[in-house]
Amino acid sequence: MKQPSVVTAVVVVAVLLAACATAAPGEIASDGFTPTPLEQFPGELGNGFPVANLVGEGSPDVGETAPNFAFFLADGRGADLASLQGKPVVLNFWATWCGPCRAEMPDLVALHESDSDLVVLEVNVGEELSAVEEFANEFGMNMTVVLDEEDLIRRAYLVRNMPTTVFIRADGTIGARWPGFLAGEQLSDFVQQIKTQ
């Protein structure tokens, strides 16, 4: 079999670098990716359980632009965090085996149902779909549940413990982070904080 020439290899590398360079900071360079509005995701538990696929630029620190990430449905439609700008986002990292995650989930579901000016994204870290579906059914999780099967989002946000909740302002910057159980008035206070900053 004929080996590719050095010129061919250089051209391929140049094309790949050019594709990456076309993405602005925080964007995900993905050929032909057009985000689908969350309202067009399946109207069922977990909004179809999209899978985390790509993670872009950003910092997990308060005051910095949040790391962008994309999540895709089985049919190829998807969205990313950057496409949600204009609304504040509550990004909650959880697992089915986590007792405090179970305890705080009813308040997160209620928050999603009561505040249409807010996006609640539930990021399940590293579990099988069957376990996530059972948990989502138990709690009536009709918000978007992103499957972070390869810990892409968890690593980008430096999440070490679950639950962890990250509060993202409408401009895409992180307003607050909270590692541990969070519910009730404390949850509402963080939401008000990112809405008024």
Side-chain angles (χ1 to χ4, degrees), residues 72-120:
F72 295 90
L73 296 165
D75 65 9
R77 289 179 296 160
D80 64 357
L81 184 66
S83 68
L84 303 177
Q85 283 192 16
K87 286 189 173 186
V89 175
V90 174
L91 186 61
N92 179 251
F93 293 85
W94 64 281
T96 61
W97 49 260
C98 162
C101 300
R102 176 173 289 278
E104 72 179 11
M105 194 55 68
D107 283 350
L108 288 160
V109 170
L111 177 66
H112 166 73
E113 291 174 349
S114 67
D115 193 340
S116 60
D117 295 326
L118 181 73
V119 176
V120 178

Side-chain angles (χ1 to χ4, degrees), residues 126-137:
E127 294 188 279
E128 296 290 326
L129 177 59
S130 58
V132 176
E133 285 179 320
E134 185 177 326
F135 188 97
N137 186 52

